[in-house]
Amino acid sequence: MFICQQCGKESLQWLGRCPTCQQWNTFVETRVTSSAKSIKSSAPLRPARELSAVAIESTDRLSLPLHEFNRVLGGGIVPGSLVLVGGDPGIGKSTLLLQVSDLVTSVHGKVAYVSGEETQRQIKLRANRLGIKGDSLFLLSETDLTAVLEQVEVLSPGMVVVDSIQAMYLPELETSPGSITQVRECTARLMQWAKQSGVPVFITGHVTKEGAIAGPKTLEHIVDVVLYLEGDQLSAYRLLRCVKNRFGSTNEIGVFEMKEKGLTEVANPSQMFLSQRGTETIGSVIVPVLEGTRPLLVEVQALSNPTSFGQPRRTANGIDFNRLLLIAAVLSKRVGLKLGNQDILVNVTGGLKIEEPAADLGIALAIASSFRDLPIDPGTVAIGEVGLSGELRSVTQLDRRVNEAARLGFKRCLIPRTGVRSIPIPQGVELVTASTLREAVRVGLMNEKTPGGNTGSQPEDSDSSLF
Ligand SMILES: Nc1ncnc2c1ncn2[C@@H]1O[C@H](COP(=O)(O)OP(=O)(O)OP(=O)(O)O)[C@@H](O)[C@H]1O
Ligand SMILES: [Mg+2]
Ligand SMILES: [Zn+2]
């Protein structure tokens, strides 16, 4: 059989390009033995049972004194769950799991830490750096998963960590460790073990350059929870993002800072994202976005510059490229900014990726500000979705966003007019409303002649000199 190492598609003949995931040269010849099939069917047959008769053993989540971690998992570690922690090489996966293991040993008993990539000495060095003594933390340097599970059975720990799943193999499969068949079968085996023992299992996985967990997307279907540790290699901030959770909401993020002593929680992420903010307020807008249930203030920056030759270029960092095209088009057509011969760059600081349309207005204002070379009042945040006809649309959970802005001392919130009636106004915050993007740009940009900013009380036409 030939198996695609990216997505797991099977084929009887070699193919240059995978018809499923469109990747080139991903098919590898794999001997499929009957034992590979017998793994799947080795589970004992269990009779059907009525839902009402199913007994639940204590499913109390194990909550650790690491609040950001609990939050991402939806309140704590669920017994018997299989959690995949993915991330770029060197981002801090092993660090995170070693710290979590240490916390588990102090509240929940033994932990088995299986390392297929690092020697015990290496782990000890890291533990020393993190200040982890390691009582009740048992290291296993083994890559044969059958042997691992045998030893784990003897140890009977409260949690198992497998670092990384790509290093594990099952000897009965005749493919090399790290191949898609191995990774998939090893994960399935661990899942089976976690479910029957009720012990939570954490596995790590590398991420390919395309951003998926190496090899199989299929891995994400097998496990209960998928977490990604993200961040910039150059900055110390790390986001732990939940992309799948069978026991809680997804899109939750935890914010950490990588320090000498390991990952430490960031209690006030909005402040963190804004801490680097310069004094330049041209082309910079603060936007309250929601990550899961958590409001975060982020800075959106834009730069527009006349195109020197050829096609004008658009560059989007941290926002969707097509969203940028849409917003630029609306700014040209409905607001009257001549962006057709401008290169436009938009950047979200702090390495965050914004997916919500609620940031549209902020992006539009940042572009308009840079293009017009007019500053935006630094005490203002902007919230709103931009429609194709230039209208401002209301967004979900406006009150939480406004409250977060108020909490961090922002004085002015520029919001869609349609959203205003539904929310209580926090102390000391002025809500400025606009029904169109044109109007929002007019009230959002500070006019140099009136440094306090426009009040928005002028008639619609008096601003024609602006454009
Ligand atoms: N002395 C130190 N001070 C601060 N940060 C450090 C120090 N030593 C290592 N780090 C951080 O730890 C990171 C490596 O962490 P770790 O080995 O846990 O990553 P990983 O995701 O497990 O990597 P791999 O993919 O190789 O398994 C480095 O990128 C660095 O940010
Ligand atoms: Mg590692
Ligand atoms: Zn494929």
Side-chain angles (χ1 to χ4, degrees):
M1 196 83 94
F2 291 85
I3 299 183
C4 169
Q5 299 298 305
Q6 278 292 329
C7 69
K9 172 148 183 74
E10 296 175 356
S11 162
L12 285 174
Q13 77 206 60
W14 187 83
L15 298 171
R17 186 180 199 187
C18 174
T20 310
C21 68
Q22 318 296 334
Q23 297 293 312
W24 293 92
N25 282 325
T26 52
F27 279 87
V28 169
E29 185 169 17
T30 305
R31 191 196 303 254
V32 182
T33 52
S34 52
S35 63
K37 298 217 164 57
S38 72
I39 288 174
K40 282 178 194 133
S41 55
S42 66
L45 189 67
R46 266 168 258 138
R49 202 190 294 165
E50 218 174 334
L51 177 59
S52 59
V54 175
I56 311 174
E57 298 104 54
S58 145
T59 52
D60 274 350
R61 289 167 187 263
L62 174 62
S63 88
L64 300 178
L66 191 64
H67 185 73
E68 294 288 301
F69 189 71
N70 292 339
R71 166 206 288 279
V72 175
L73 285 177
I77 303 171
V78 174
S81 60
L82 181 62
V83 181
L84 171 64
V85 179
D88 290 331
I91 199 77
K93 301 178 291 294
S94 307
T95 308
L96 176 71
L97 289 183
L98 193 62
Q99 285 181 272
V100 167
S101 301
D102 180 51
L103 294 175
V104 170
T105 58
S106 59
V107 295
H108 195 61
K110 289 185 270 190
V111 171
Y113 190 102
V114 185
S115 176
E117 291 180 340
E118 291 168 308
T119 63
Q120 304 194 342
R121 252 182 63 85
Q122 279 177 297
I123 298 172
K124 180 70 184 174
L125 282 174
R126 176 181 296 128
N128 279 347
R129 174 162 59 83
L130 306 179
I132 291 171
K133 198 153 154 276
D135 292 329
S136 309
L137 183 60
F138 292 85
L139 301 181
L140 273 111
S141 295
E142 177 67 75
T143 50
D144 175 349
L145 191 65
T146 320
V148 165
L149 288 180
E150 266 167 34
Q151 295 198 46
V152 166
E153 290 280 356
V154 175
L155 207 58
S156 107
M159 184 176 105
V160 176
V161 174
V162 177
D163 188 12
S164 68
I165 191 67
Q166 276 104 355
M168 296 295 138
Y169 75 100
L170 288 165
E172 59 265 40
L173 303 178
E174 291 163 20
T175 56
S176 55
S179 71
I180 190 160
T181 323
Q182 285 286 5
V183 169
R184 201 163 49 186
E185 291 303 330
C186 286
T187 310
R189 178 71 70 88
L190 281 166
M191 184 68 167
Q192 214 179 57
W193 185 85
K195 289 287 166 287
Q196 80 196 25
S197 66
V199 174
V201 177
F202 283 76
I203 60 182
T204 67
H206 310 292
V207 166
T208 59
K209 63 177 187 305
E210 286 83 25
I213 290 176
K217 195 75 179 161
T218 42
L219 212 60
E220 297 193 355
H221 296 298
I222 307 175
V223 302
D224 293 315
V225 181
V226 181
L227 306 178
Y228 274 96
L229 191 60
E230 300 173 347
D232 206 329
Q233 288 284 0
L234 302 175
S235 92
Y237 298 113
R238 300 285 186 272
L239 300 180
L240 187 63
R241 183 187 298 277
C242 180
V243 296
K244 167 180 173 178
N245 194 347
R246 285 188 177 145
F247 320 106
S249 93
T250 48
N251 301 324
E252 287 293 351
I253 65 164
V255 186
F256 296 91
E257 191 177 354
M258 177 65 89
K259 294 189 176 156
E260 162 99 36
K261 291 254 166 242
L263 291 161
T264 49
E265 301 178 83
V266 174
N268 196 342
S270 290
Q271 207 157 45
M272 171 198 100
F273 285 119
L274 300 185
S275 63
Q276 311 273 321
R277 196 180 189 205
T279 45
E280 183 58 80
T281 56
I282 293 182
S284 154
V285 178
I286 303 300
V287 178
V289 294
L290 279 182
E291 286 285 350
T293 56
R294 158 186 274 185
L296 278 182
L297 296 192
V298 297
E299 182 183 351
V300 175
Q301 296 179 328
L303 188 64
S304 83
N305 213 20
T307 308
S308 41
F309 58 86
Q311 286 278 327
R313 298 206 307 175
R314 310 279 186 249
T315 311
N317 272 330
I319 65 164
D320 180 36
F321 182 71
N322 289 322
R323 206 77 208 162
L324 170 57
L325 294 185
L326 184 149
I327 292 167
V330 174
L331 277 171
S332 299
K333 185 87 179 174
R334 309 285 177 200
V335 184
L337 302 188
K338 306 255 174 308
L339 297 173
N341 58 353
Q342 298 279 320
D343 289 342
I344 300 176
L345 293 95
V346 173
N347 184 36
V348 178
T349 59
L352 208 72
K353 290 185 183 57
I354 307 181
E355 263 139 35
E356 305 189 279
D360 287 358
L361 176 58
I363 298 165
L365 275 182
I367 296 173
S369 161
S370 175
F371 178 70
R372 294 290 314 148
D373 218 10
L374 289 176
I376 290 163
D377 170 25
T380 299
V381 301
I383 311 163
E385 180 181 346
V386 171
L388 282 184
S389 51
E391 81 278 20
L392 280 190
R393 297 163 160 269
S394 62
V395 303
T396 55
Q397 311 205 43
L398 189 61
D399 49 340
R400 303 182 78 152
R401 301 173 202 260
V402 170
N403 279 328
E404 178 73 358
R407 195 173 70 78
L408 282 143
F410 285 86
K411 296 272 175 282
R412 226 163 144 243
C413 294
L414 190 50
I415 61 168
R417 185 156 296 146
T418 46
V420 70
R421 54 191 133 71
S422 54
I423 66 164
I425 303 168
Q427 275 285 317
V429 172
E430 181 198 358
L431 294 184
V432 182
T433 62
S435 53
T436 62
L437 181 58
R438 188 183 173 85
E439 196 184 339
V441 167
R442 183 162 49 80
V443 297
L445 297 189
M446 284 165 50
N447 198 327
E448 280 148 327
K449 289 165 213 128
T450 55
N454 293 328
T455 57
S457 57
Q458 305 106 306
E460 183 88 357
D461 293 347
S462 75
D463 62 33
S464 52
S465 63
L466 255 178
F467 302 108

